[in-house]
Amino acid sequence: QVQLVESGGGSVQPGGSLRLSCVASGTLLSVDAMSWYRQAPGKQRELVASITSGFRTNYADSVKGRFTISRDTAQKTGYLQMASLKPEDTAVYSCKAKTYNGAETYSNYWGQGTRVTVSS
């Protein structure tokens, strides 16, 4: 089994910054790709950013230029650096990891989520 544990959420004023972390542990050989999603109250979950094993990144238009996704492959950890935060960034942020289990098999896992509140 694989566990994903997120941390770094909290409350911040508009214009502030937060850094989210997502650590994968358990029975896995490596993390192939990592993604961050968010779900605001009353809205559907949306993809915020993703990063491949080759460090290719992708961002939602709403966060381009403000958020940066990164990873530490050896530590099986992903990060989401969020800057210039806006009230509309308020949501529960969850990480998703595609893990390599050996024998050409992959699995997807989700973290429990961490809440980000942007408010003055």
Side-chain angles (χ1 to χ4, degrees):
Q1 191 61 281
V2 173
Q3 297 81 39
L4 298 181
V5 178
E6 300 115 330
S7 61
S11 296
V12 64
Q13 292 186 340
S17 299
L18 284 173
R19 188 193 196 202
L20 306 182
S21 300
C22 176
V23 181
S25 63
T27 308
L28 73 159
L29 292 182
S30 63
V31 176
D32 184 65
M34 298 191 83
S35 305
W36 287 94
Y37 288 75
R38 68 185 180 186
Q39 186 166 21
K43 295 187 176 181
Q44 288 189 329
R45 183 168 60 191
E46 64 173 345
L47 175 65
V48 176
S50 62
I51 185 167
T52 69
S53 57
F55 295 87
R56 186 170 67 247
T57 59
N58 182 58
Y59 296 92
D61 288 342
S62 59
V63 306
K64 282 181 180 177
R66 300 188 298 122
F67 290 11
T68 302
I69 190 170
S70 61
R71 61 185 293 169
D72 183 329
T73 302
Q75 298 299 320
K76 302 183 179 66
T77 301
Y79 304 97
L80 185 67
Q81 179 68 48
M82 305 185 294
S84 302
L85 283 161
K86 305 175 181 180
E88 50 264 43
D89 294 318
T90 295
V92 175
Y93 287 71
S94 301
C95 70
K96 176 184 172 183
K98 178 182 178 183
T99 65
Y100 178 61
N101 310 314
E104 298 302 317
T105 63
Y106 296 83
S107 301
N108 288 307
Y109 295 92
W110 289 87
Q112 82 287 353
T114 184
R115 187 174 300 277
V116 172
T117 302
V118 185
S119 174
S120 55

